[in-house]
Amino acid sequence: MSDAKTLPAAPRDWAEREIGGVAEIRDTAHPRRNSPVWELVRPDGCRFFLKVSRTARSYERETLALRHAVPALGAGRAPQLRASSAEHLALLTTAVPGRPVRELALTAAQEYEAHRQGGLLLARLHAAGDLTGRRRAEAEGALCSVTQDADRRLEEAGDRLTEAERALVRTLTEQLRWVGPLPLGFIHGDARPRHLLWSGRAAWVGFERSRFAPVVQDFVTLACGVWADRPRLRTACLSGYGRELTPQELHVLKCLAGLDAVSALARGDEHDDPPLAAGGRRTLHRLMTGVFV
């Protein structure tokens, strides 16, 4: 068996017991992600993925998602949970056909269809899960949690922000405190092109930030990223989703984009990721010039 030096022995042994032996291990973690991921290949060629969460909260979120909400996407549209270990904070999932859309040389028609199907799958996900009791309370309080985190994000950004930008983000954040009821659901939490796979059919992966929340929160990363350059993909995604965002959701999207941009500036420098920081800077420019949504 080939080895991956960074895969700890304990979760590796657990995974091997679960799937009946491993012939090859490949480190597939994204450089900026907090959760390491390995592809495990059995002697018969069958592939699985082993993720070790950095925190118990991430482990619990992704386990809940894979058990109770993600199956609503349909076969081949998301990973299936093969096993999980609270002891190791580890999840073992099946492989999903396809590669991230951002890594593929797709035609315009293929890219449009991938994002349309991505929106369709988000609609299914948002309607999944049991939105009652404490989970509804969690969803209803999600924006409050965001506003409470604003000061930390602004402090981390430091002098990367001008005073005018800082004032705008504070104003937008404050407006989140007065938002009325919004459509709620179970969100992916990190819906971006690297988590959208395409093989002729779309699939979503990467559910460690999944939770109950206002569904508009699932569109922030897209609105700050690929939608800015290619509005046609926004049309595709929302066509698949089945509806346009409401005026109130559009306003919340704008408010959340400010905080997302602030975080991108700080994380981009911290992780030596100029494209991430540039994306944050671009979003702030769009907000400052009034052309965001």
Side-chain angles (χ1 to χ4, degrees), residues 67 139 161 180 182 228 246:
R67 284 179 176 166
L161 298 173
L182 293 165
T246 68

Side-chain angles (χ1 to χ4, degrees), residues 94-110:
T94 59
V96 181
R99 290 172 53 199
V101 293
R102 73 174 192 172
E103 297 178 2
L104 298 171
L106 301 177
T107 66
Q110 289 172 328

Side-chain angles (χ1 to χ4, degrees), residues 56-141:
R57 186 183 188 193
S58 294
Y59 167 79
E60 291 165 0
R61 278 183 166 177
E62 192 152 17
T63 302
L64 174 67
L66 291 170
R67 284 179 176 166
H68 300 293
V70 171
L73 274 61
R77 299 290 198 160
Q80 295 179 1
L81 183 63
R82 174 67 180 262
S84 64
S85 169
E87 177 185 358
H88 305 303
L89 299 183
L91 299 111
L92 190 62
T93 68
T94 59
V96 181
R99 290 172 53 199
V101 293
R102 73 174 192 172
E103 297 178 2
L104 298 171
L106 301 177
T107 66
Q110 289 172 328
E111 189 174 44
Y112 185 95
E113 181 61 13
H115 282 261
R116 188 195 69 81
Q117 290 188 27
L120 172 66
L121 295 178
L122 286 180
R124 293 179 186 173
L125 185 67
H126 292 171
D130 179 14
L131 185 61
T132 60
R134 66 176 181 82
R135 291 172 178 170
R136 175 169 287 277
E138 175 190 351
E140 291 173 342

Side-chain angles (χ1 to χ4, degrees), residues 21 34 37 43 72 79 106 109 143 157 171 198 204 207-208 241 251 257 265 291:
N34 291 328
V37 183
L106 301 177
L143 292 185
T171 297
W198 181 249
W204 284 105
F207 292 92
E208 68 183 47
Y241 191 65
H251 180 67
L265 287 176
V291 298

